[in-house]
Amino acid sequence: MAAAGSAPEARPDGQEPLLGSAGAAPDEDEEEESRDVVETQEHYKSRWRSIWIMYLTMFLSSVGFSIVIMSVWPYLQKIDPTADASFLGWIIASYSIGQMVASPLFGLWSNYRPRREPLVISTAISVAANCLYAYVHVPHSHNKYYMLTARALVGFGAGNVAVVRSYIAGATSLTERTSAMANTSACQAVGFILGPVFQTCFTLIGEEGVTWKFLCLQLNMYTTPVLFGALLGVINIILIFAIFREHRVDDMGRQYKSINSDGEGNDVLDQNAEGSIDHVAVVALNILFFVILFVFAVFETIATPLTMDMYSWTRKEAVFYNGIILSVIGIESVIVFMVVKTLSKKTGERAILHAGLLIVLVGFFILLPWGKKLPNIQWQEIKNNSIPRAAPSEMLAPFWSLPELQLPSNHTAEPVGCPVTQSWCLNTPMIYLAQYISSDVLIGLGYPVCNVMSYTLYSKVLGPKPQGVYMGWLTASGSGARILGPVFVSQIYTHLGPRWAFSLICGVVVVSLLLLEIVYKRLIAFSVRYGRMQEENC
């Protein structure tokens, strides 16, 4: 993929540069020589500058989710003592619920109007929601509901990822698409990684911080991150107005007027838009994407309770060690996003998606309990009924949302090990640390592969027609998976144990592999399906 700022070389005859169908860099021109299409240097630069603005928007969207995720629980306890861990679960889920509702709406909007409109409005909603979050301490009651509203609105604003992906799909040729989608996912992953880093830096301000009475604003470790996120959102809006332009190319990279352009353009149709979308392939990819996000949400949710049960880690140890592991997985994912851009040119997206699902299957299969050694049992609960234990719903909450366990004053340490109230602890072999680490590495490898390939194949199947609504449904299916995944694992793991939980996940992945095999030949680009282009990879 050519970088946004790498301008094509001028032709010897002094005319505007002649680029290949993908707007390819000079080292790819020979490959595309048979399909030379004129694209001016100005158009090429403008197109890629706009795509880079979309990368930034995706990055900021993920930062908006992760920048406060580690501080939500202590802040909630501070502003509203009536809030419990179950309400915390709703606050965490509200982001995904808001995004699930908004994605199809913003996608539909972007199909008929300039994309600048939904991008600016959605970002403005996120900015306002972050400001609301900074003021949730002001009301004298019902503070937790204000926080819930703020996080839901941040998620609603994040529904613009459907607009981002639909724009990138429409502004790139087939040969550019995989690379651009990989960059988009990489920006999203980096946002999830850096969000907690920003939060950590802001903890230096402390819980009290500085109070501006004339604004009723407290600048502390809880509010400063969201205000920083709001500032980034304002910068994003300015860049959208200043740099972003509507561009649309067909699958071969030829420019044509977009219906999203300012002014009259709805009567401009391209011959490549003729033909119907393969809705069987579209539905299948939505299901596959749901499964991919579902199993990864399960993996994220189960990490803390699993390690506390199996290795007798304290809450602090589980947060620390799993935080390191998740950070390493995030870095691994970014590397994978970069590698698949090159690998897909040799093997094709379908084969890589198949391999990614197999890797995820192996990762969860390794997590199945083997051997005879049982985990340490948390017997203190029987010996001393005065020692309270977090409810299963609390133990299955993500590591950032674990509440503090209040122990009696005559106890200096929290009980550790597998709670005897989970009956499976008495007869289920432990999962060795080597199994857990190996599974982390494999899932961290397979998930980003599946994520990028599913988005790429989806955009190629849809073809040159406006993709806003379809991308909205794909985003909504992913948001739904992130809501249902923790609910699923909290029930199965708590009552039946890891053997059942991970066996069912393996079964789900096997079914998704069978579905992929059934629709494999249908997962081809729109232009290939109608004979306008030849498929380069199997």
Side-chain angles (χ1 to χ4, degrees):
M1 181 192 71
S6 57
E9 296 180 357
R11 294 177 58 181
D13 55 10
Q15 298 179 16
E16 292 292 337
L18 187 65
L19 298 181
S21 65
D27 60 343
E28 296 177 357
D29 283 343
E30 293 181 4
E31 178 184 337
E32 302 294 333
E33 191 171 350
S34 61
R35 288 180 278 158
D36 280 343
V37 179
V38 173
E39 182 184 38
T40 65
Q41 184 178 19
E42 181 182 357
H43 178 270
Y44 176 80
K45 287 183 176 182
S46 177
R47 182 165 66 92
W48 279 101
R49 280 196 298 264
S50 299
I51 291 174
W52 275 93
I53 294 298
M54 295 298 95
Y55 292 162
L56 175 64
T57 303
M58 181 65 78
F59 168 78
L60 296 180
S61 176
S62 60
V63 168
F65 170 78
S66 61
I67 198 169
V68 299
I69 205 65
M70 296 181 67
S71 63
V72 168
W73 175 244
Y75 189 39
L76 180 62
Q77 288 180 310
K78 181 179 179 179
I79 65 170
D80 196 335
T82 65
D84 55 15
S86 62
F87 194 84
L88 172 66
W90 281 107
I91 290 180
I92 298 297
S94 64
Y95 178 93
S96 296
I97 294 173
Q99 188 179 52
M100 182 173 64
V101 172
S103 296
L105 299 178
F106 286 131
L108 179 63
W109 188 353
S110 70
N111 273 4
Y112 297 100
R113 295 290 301 169
R115 291 188 179 91
R116 183 183 286 117
E117 294 179 4
L119 287 172
V120 169
I121 295 300
S122 60
T123 307
I125 291 173
S126 294
V127 170
N130 280 325
C131 293
L132 172 62
Y133 187 94
Y135 279 95
V136 294
H137 66 280
V138 174
H140 298 292
S141 61
H142 306 298
N143 304 75
K144 61 184 180 181
Y145 296 108
Y146 290 104
M147 181 181 284
L148 177 70
T149 303
R151 292 304 295 169
L153 287 174
V154 171
F156 191 89
N160 62 13
V161 299
V163 183
V164 170
R165 292 194 184 274
S166 67
Y167 176 81
I168 293 175
T172 55
S173 66
L174 283 184
T175 52
E176 292 174 313
R177 191 78 48 78
T178 302
S179 180
M181 287 294 181
N183 288 344
T184 306
S185 296
C187 290
Q188 188 177 36
V190 171
F192 282 124
I193 295 171
L194 292 184
V197 175
F198 292 145
Q199 170 72 79
T200 302
C201 295
F202 287 124
T203 57
L204 298 176
I205 301 175
E207 281 196 314
E208 299 304 323
V210 179
T211 300
W212 291 351
K213 293 184 178 180
F214 67 98
L215 293 176
C216 296
L217 178 63
Q218 294 180 0
L219 291 179
N220 54 35
M221 60 182 285
Y222 304 122
T223 61
T224 309
V226 293
L227 293 175
F228 177 70
L231 175 62
L232 294 178
V234 171
I235 294 174
N236 192 26
I237 291 174
I238 294 173
L239 292 175
I240 290 174
F241 276 113
I243 299 176
F244 178 79
R245 298 292 181 270
E246 290 286 351
H247 292 287
R248 193 178 180 203
V249 298
D250 64 11
D251 285 348
M252 291 178 285
R254 295 177 299 196
Q255 178 187 4
Y256 59 96
K257 191 172 183 180
S258 172
I259 63 173
N260 308 94
S261 300
D262 295 324
E264 295 299 325
N266 291 342
D267 58 341
V268 179
L269 300 176
D270 184 82
Q271 61 178 355
N272 286 333
E274 297 175 0
S276 59
I277 295 173
D278 187 347
H279 286 93
V280 173
V282 168
V283 172
L285 284 170
N286 269 280
I287 294 173
L288 290 173
F289 188 69
F290 177 90
V291 170
I292 293 163
L293 270 292
F294 179 86
V295 298
F296 191 73
V298 167
F299 168 73
E300 286 182 311
T301 305
I302 203 63
T304 295
L306 179 68
T307 52
M308 292 176 66
D309 291 346
M310 294 294 153
Y311 315 124
S312 300
W313 287 354
T314 63
R315 290 185 305 277
K316 184 177 180 180
E317 290 171 336
V319 169
F320 179 74
Y321 294 135
N322 282 303
I324 294 175
I325 290 171
L326 289 175
S327 297
V328 172
I329 290 176
I331 296 172
E332 178 189 12
S333 298
V334 174
I335 295 173
V336 171
F337 288 137
M338 299 298 101
V339 172
V340 295
K341 294 194 296 184
T342 302
L343 189 61
S344 64
K345 296 177 182 178
K346 300 179 179 179
T347 62
E349 289 86 2
R350 293 177 298 177
I352 295 180
L353 176 59
H354 194 280
L357 285 171
L358 284 174
I359 292 172
V360 171
L361 175 61
V362 174
F364 276 99
F365 183 78
I366 288 176
L367 273 180
L368 292 174
W370 304 101
K372 299 180 180 179
K373 184 178 179 180
L374 298 178
N376 294 329
I377 305 299
Q378 193 182 115
W379 291 106
Q380 288 93 327
E381 295 189 3
I382 290 181
K383 295 179 180 179
N384 190 344
N385 291 330
S386 65
I387 300 180
R389 183 177 68 89
S393 61
E394 297 175 4
M395 293 196 63
L396 269 293
F399 67 83
W400 55 77
S401 64
L402 284 173
E404 287 293 323
L405 185 64
Q406 300 297 325
L407 294 177
S409 58
N410 59 333
H411 289 272
T412 58
E414 65 181 272
V416 295
C418 199
V420 72
T421 52
Q422 295 177 166
S423 58
W424 57 264
C425 292
L426 301 175
N427 51 39
T428 301
M430 73 175 295
I431 298 170
Y432 293 97
L433 185 59
Q435 288 178 262
Y436 179 68
I437 298 297
S438 300
S439 176
D440 289 342
V441 173
L442 289 173
I443 294 173
L445 174 63
Y447 167 72
V449 168
C450 296
N451 184 289
V452 174
M453 292 302 106
S454 56
Y455 265 119
T456 304
L457 284 169
Y458 194 70
S459 65
K460 290 186 175 182
V461 166
L462 294 176
K465 295 185 177 183
Q467 300 185 7
V469 174
Y470 287 100
M471 284 293 180
W473 287 118
L474 189 68
T475 303
S477 67
S479 299
R482 296 190 67 88
I483 296 170
L484 294 178
V487 174
F488 166 85
V489 73
S490 65
Q491 297 299 317
I492 302 300
Y493 178 84
T494 302
H495 296 99
L496 301 177
R499 179 171 285 162
W500 272 96
F502 300 140
S503 294
L504 289 173
I505 291 297
C506 288
V508 170
V509 178
V510 168
V511 171
S512 67
L513 281 166
L514 292 175
L515 174 62
L516 179 58
E517 288 295 328
I518 293 172
V519 299
Y520 193 87
K521 294 183 178 180
R522 306 183 74 133
L523 302 182
I524 56 176
F526 186 93
S527 296
V528 173
R529 183 174 181 232
Y530 288 100
R532 301 188 183 108
M533 294 181 66
Q534 290 185 348
E535 190 172 16
E536 297 179 357
N537 298 305
C538 299

